[in-house]
Amino acid sequence: MFFERPGGGERAILVHLEGQDPEAREDPQEFLELARSAGADTVAFVSVSRHQPTAKFLIGSGKVDELHDLVKAEKAELVIFNHILTPSQERNLERAFECRVLDRTGLILDIFAQRARTHEGKLQVELAQLNHMSTRLVRGWTHLERQKGGIGLRGPGETQLETDRRLLRVRIRQIKQRLEKVRSQREQARRGRKRADIPAVSLVGYTNAGKSTLFNSLTASEVYAADQLFATLDPTLRRLELDDLGPIVLADTVGFIRHLPHKLVEAFRATLEESANADLLLHVIDAHEPERMAQIEQVLAVLGEIGAEGLPMLEVYNKVDLLENVEPHIQRDEEGKPERVWLSARDGSGLELLEQAVAELLGEDLFVGTLRLPQRFGRLRAQFFALGAVQTEEHDEAGDILLAVRLPRVELNRLVSREGWQPSEFLEQHTLQ
């Protein structure tokens, strides 16, 4: 990793700003969880009431002096702001506190750096880190800002800072090229699944809503799941068989959060495209979370950023085991289509209801029935087998072929129309899902 993070357990002071615009205000409890997830040892939590942020420090000079004394008293190594700082504000605060200063974006990037396990995940995190730190390089090279002359000091005509920036641009370009290759590989895999007519279902939702626990319960996998923010970073795909539908591909993706840095959205675009290209989104919601409506809005905002806002969606209200007098159930709209499923991924109650709802939504245009094919339609029979749509095959007394098939109605119409027939002319018996 280009930027090495220090070991966990640093003594940290957390600074939270109150009195901000409601759209910009952050959740203090979520801030504490972020710091805990990063491994910080929180020694003090300071709330600052500030209606008009200052350009130099973000907070007032009097509060800066108070925090400086607190840093010395607590022997803190780090001050973390629950807000986005400009590069100049970060530098000014570091000079004033005489210790490292981190903003909300830097904190989230640090957590991502800890969680990345795959080569792709590490590349995505490094790209986001490089983009974030490119404007902050100057603080490490203030003593080398001027070019120097003289014997032994003449260089290639650029300062150390300029050299670093040039190397950084080269590294960013290399990472983007590698991620573009990953992106094309994912796209190729998706096209293969489309040809095989395997629906793709993607889990999305706020961080720590229980997506990975639900994923493990459905697929009998062992994806890392923990009660912490951003436990999942690298996407995982598994094949899942549904009784009333057949095979689907289920994807577990990174969780979202309020004001998710745009640098992360851009860096993780290849991963997030698994959601943008899904046939169905399962929006996992923490039913026990008091701020769940605000979290839902944040998830929908990020889905809009990646072009996934118009996809079919089923809301999954998780953690009903923490609610009183709420049993697992399916909520339906006026047309009878599943709209919400209430369940508990931890104890497994309601999982069969989720599978039923997914099968209903994905099977709307599915044909399930028996076709009678005369012997001369052997080529059509072979095409059904090539698609993997045949469940059973029998022959009647007249020698006709009876095929029990399951496939999208569009595909059925396409195959049969090639022979100049209508699907109804082949029907023996059928049921619609």
Side-chain angles (χ1 to χ4, degrees):
M1 194 65 67
F2 188 89
F3 296 101
E4 293 184 4
R5 61 179 305 280
E10 289 177 282
R11 294 175 62 81
I13 294 173
L14 308 187
V15 181
H16 173 72
L17 265 66
E18 295 284 358
Q20 291 288 307
D21 168 38
E23 288 297 315
R25 192 166 55 238
E26 307 292 357
D27 180 4
Q29 185 58 40
E30 185 175 86
F31 183 31
L32 283 166
E33 286 294 317
L34 282 170
R36 183 176 69 85
S37 296
D41 179 12
T42 302
V43 295
F45 185 95
V46 180
S47 288
V48 180
S49 180
R50 192 75 189 173
H51 294 279
Q52 290 295 328
T54 64
K56 185 175 183 180
F57 292 120
L58 182 70
I59 57 178
S61 57
K63 187 60 71 173
V64 170
D65 293 338
E66 284 182 34
L67 286 170
H68 173 265
D69 294 340
L70 186 61
V71 167
K72 295 301 180 185
E74 296 290 348
K75 297 181 180 179
E77 305 163 87
L78 178 65
V79 177
I80 308 175
F81 278 73
N82 193 20
H83 199 278
I84 296 174
L85 299 172
T86 65
S88 61
Q89 287 171 343
E90 204 169 289
R91 287 195 297 273
N92 293 335
L93 288 166
E94 286 191 340
R95 289 194 192 103
F97 297 155
E98 299 176 0
C99 72
R100 287 198 310 122
V101 172
L102 203 60
D103 69 354
R104 180 181 172 86
T105 299
L107 178 61
I108 292 175
L109 285 171
D110 185 88
I111 296 171
F112 272 54
Q114 295 181 59
R115 301 285 188 269
R117 292 292 180 268
T118 66
H119 178 63
E120 176 193 352
K122 290 177 180 178
L123 283 176
Q124 290 171 324
V125 172
E126 185 178 356
L127 176 60
Q129 283 183 318
L130 291 171
N131 285 328
H132 179 67
M133 295 298 289
S134 59
T135 57
R136 290 162 164 77
L137 276 180
V138 67
R139 72 174 165 193
W141 294 108
T142 51
H143 62 296
L144 292 174
E145 284 177 349
R146 291 192 200 144
Q147 296 173 343
K148 296 183 180 179
I151 298 173
L153 295 176
R154 284 183 281 265
E158 60 182 357
T159 64
Q160 180 65 51
L161 179 60
E162 289 168 339
T163 302
D164 275 11
R165 282 181 173 157
R166 177 171 53 79
L167 294 174
L168 188 137
R169 286 194 299 270
V170 170
R171 179 60 179 162
I172 287 176
R173 188 165 62 247
Q174 290 174 341
I175 293 175
K176 285 184 174 179
Q177 289 172 348
R178 291 189 190 179
L179 288 176
E180 190 58 39
K181 184 180 291 186
V182 170
R183 189 174 181 175
S184 63
Q185 290 170 344
R186 286 188 179 279
E187 181 59 33
Q188 190 173 4
R190 280 194 292 269
R191 285 199 299 267
R193 294 198 296 269
K194 289 283 186 186
R195 284 196 298 271
D197 196 47
I198 300 177
V201 179
S202 182
L203 294 170
V204 298
Y206 209 78
T207 182
N208 207 28
K211 295 182 298 299
S212 295
T213 303
L214 179 60
F215 183 86
N216 289 337
S217 299
L218 286 170
T219 62
S221 300
E222 294 183 359
V223 170
Y224 178 67
D227 182 19
Q228 56 187 20
L229 303 184
F230 301 115
T232 301
L233 188 58
D234 302 305
T236 308
L237 281 73
R238 292 288 186 273
R239 186 183 176 105
L240 176 64
E241 291 283 341
L242 298 183
D243 292 340
D244 296 326
L245 183 67
I248 66 169
V249 171
L250 187 65
D252 185 22
T253 58
V254 63
F256 303 150
I257 198 169
R258 273 181 67 84
H259 305 139
L260 187 68
H262 289 280
K263 299 178 185 69
L264 281 177
V265 175
E266 185 60 37
F268 280 75
R269 189 161 295 278
T271 297
L272 294 173
E273 280 180 355
E274 290 294 344
S275 298
N277 290 277
D279 296 291
L280 177 66
L281 297 178
L282 298 184
H283 181 180
V284 183
I285 300 164
D286 183 350
H288 189 250
E289 172 57 52
E291 298 290 325
R292 71 182 186 213
M293 295 310 298
Q295 293 184 356
I296 290 172
E297 290 177 10
Q298 292 301 314
V299 170
L300 295 179
V302 177
L303 289 176
E305 284 191 54
I306 62 174
E309 70 275 20
L311 295 178
M313 182 184 295
L314 175 66
E315 291 183 344
V316 181
Y317 280 75
N318 188 26
K319 305 185 183 180
V320 297
D321 53 307
L322 302 178
L323 303 177
E324 293 183 5
N325 303 320
V326 178
E327 295 295 327
H329 64 282
I330 298 177
Q331 274 184 257
R332 300 178 181 272
D333 61 15
E334 296 175 353
E335 299 175 357
K337 291 171 57 177
E339 197 173 33
R340 297 184 186 90
V341 178
W342 296 71
L343 53 75
S344 171
R346 186 170 63 177
D347 61 25
S349 59
L351 293 182
E352 71 285 350
L353 298 176
L354 177 60
E355 293 184 2
Q356 175 190 332
V358 170
E360 285 185 41
L361 292 173
L362 291 177
E364 281 185 326
D365 296 322
L366 192 71
F367 172 84
V368 180
T370 302
L371 302 177
R372 179 186 295 274
L373 303 182
Q375 288 288 347
R376 66 181 183 277
F377 287 105
R379 184 179 64 178
L380 182 59
R381 167 189 172 277
Q383 289 174 329
F384 281 119
F385 272 98
L387 284 173
V390 179
Q391 294 181 301
T392 62
E393 180 184 25
E394 297 177 0
H395 292 79
D396 64 7
E397 296 177 356
D400 291 343
I401 305 167
L402 298 178
L403 290 181
V405 297
R406 178 194 295 264
L407 77 167
R409 189 171 291 278
V410 173
E411 197 69 26
L412 173 67
N413 293 339
R414 182 181 65 81
L415 291 177
V416 174
S417 61
R418 286 181 181 176
E419 305 294 334
W421 291 64
Q422 293 297 320
S424 58
E425 297 176 86
F426 286 105
L427 287 183
E428 172 69 14
Q429 59 187 16
H430 72 281
T431 57
L432 296 180
Q433 296 293 312

